[in-house]
Amino acid sequence: MGDFVRVEIKDGIGTIRLERPPMNALNTQVQEELRAAAAETTAEPEVRAVIVYGGEKVFAAGADIKEMADMSYVDMSARAARLSSAFDAIARIPKPVVAAITGYALGGGCELALACDWRVVADDAKLGQPEIKLGIIPGAGGTQRLARLVGPARAKDLVLSGRMVDADEALRIGLADRVVPATEVYDAAVALVRPYLSGPAQALRAAKLAIDGGLEMDLASGLAWESQLFAGLFATEDKREGMSAFVEKRKPNFTGR
């Protein structure tokens, strides 16, 4: 447990909770605590799915600008890769991961949400990449994950203008997956991942690896990657259980092995 990020585990769900009031600014310490939280939820077998949550008022309103204001090119060139990899650690959690977004998810906060598999957004939330207004660009995945999610033209609109989008527009362009009242955001995130808690953990892991990894490959390489992951699942107990249950016309009892 860090000073600003803590992991709560309950009923198979690991909640990575940001607690740096008032706006959950993502300074260097928060970044490194997110990396540690990703490692913890990855390693803990009790955790079958993950929710990234900033609390009832705000998800994360961006990086800590006061921390960055006096940094030089030399300073940031030494830090930038660590910043990006901290968010990438969330993306690489081999389990279903959903961002539960209230208030604002701006700059680094939006990039953190983009590192998750899905985004449940409060109906009064605002999302965006306003870095251009500071004379910089997103540096923790915003130009890359956003373009892959909503397409290059929409990503350029958001990144080049720095404008915020509301929940309805976020849903329309694919930046949000579900929009609910602010008081229901966390519960909606739980409902989204609940079906995976009793699922075949190794197959879920392989599916996520296949999709995310395949996006970085040409089709032939992606198909080869898929085939490798597919074949590997034939060594799991859950494969045997799933197919036996199908033949026997019963519900499978997956153990994650």
Side-chain angles (χ1 to χ4, degrees):
M1 184 179 296
D3 294 331
F4 302 126
V5 179
R6 60 189 173 95
V7 175
E8 301 170 343
I9 302 173
K10 181 180 179 181
D11 298 330
I13 297 173
T15 299
I16 297 176
R17 175 72 181 260
L18 299 172
E19 292 185 328
R20 191 183 181 222
M23 302 301 286
N24 289 335
L26 302 167
N27 68 355
T28 299
Q29 182 175 345
V30 173
Q31 295 160 26
E32 293 306 315
E33 290 182 8
L34 282 169
R35 189 195 310 279
E40 180 179 347
T41 52
T42 294
E44 177 51 64
E46 183 182 346
V47 173
R48 305 296 291 270
V50 175
I51 297 173
V52 181
Y53 183 50
E56 297 177 353
K57 294 183 177 180
V58 64
F59 184 70
D64 190 329
I65 306 304
K66 292 181 180 179
E67 181 182 65
M68 294 194 302
D70 294 327
M71 295 181 73
S72 67
Y73 165 74
V74 172
D75 296 330
M76 186 50 77
S77 64
R79 176 65 202 169
R82 291 285 294 176
L83 164 62
S84 184
S85 67
F87 286 58
D88 198 49
I90 298 293
R92 293 183 181 278
I93 296 172
K95 302 169 184 182
V97 181
V98 58
I101 299 170
T102 56
Y104 294 99
L106 302 174
C110 189
E111 290 173 304
L112 178 59
L114 288 168
C116 300
D117 299 313
W118 304 283
R119 284 146 293 281
V120 174
V121 177
D123 56 9
D124 59 354
K126 303 288 186 181
L127 298 84
Q129 300 288 170
E131 289 90 344
I132 202 78
K133 296 181 179 181
L134 301 174
I136 57 174
I137 65 172
T143 65
Q144 302 304 303
R145 290 194 175 95
L146 185 61
R148 286 165 169 78
L149 185 66
V150 304
R154 284 175 171 150
K156 288 173 184 175
D157 169 33
L158 297 181
V159 172
L160 272 63
S161 70
R163 70 182 182 89
M164 294 187 292
V165 300
D166 61 20
D168 288 341
E169 182 176 0
L171 183 63
R172 187 171 68 251
I173 67 176
L175 181 52
D177 297 286
R178 295 186 185 178
V179 173
V180 298
T183 55
E184 299 176 15
V185 165
Y186 184 81
D187 288 342
V190 170
L192 192 155
V193 299
R194 185 177 289 118
Y196 307 110
L197 301 181
S198 59
Q202 295 305 315
L204 291 169
R205 171 184 175 274
K208 184 170 176 175
L209 285 171
I211 294 169
D212 289 347
L215 287 171
E216 311 302 322
M217 304 175 189
D218 59 67
L219 180 58
S221 299
L223 290 170
W225 175 230
E226 178 188 74
S227 292
Q228 181 179 354
L229 292 165
F230 168 71
L233 293 169
F234 279 69
T236 66
E237 293 178 14
D238 279 348
K239 172 265 176 188
R240 291 189 288 275
E241 168 62 13
M243 293 192 176
S244 294
F246 178 84
V247 171
E248 296 164 10
K249 295 181 172 57
R250 60 176 175 82
K251 185 178 180 180
N253 179 28
F254 294 122
T255 62
R257 297 182 177 86

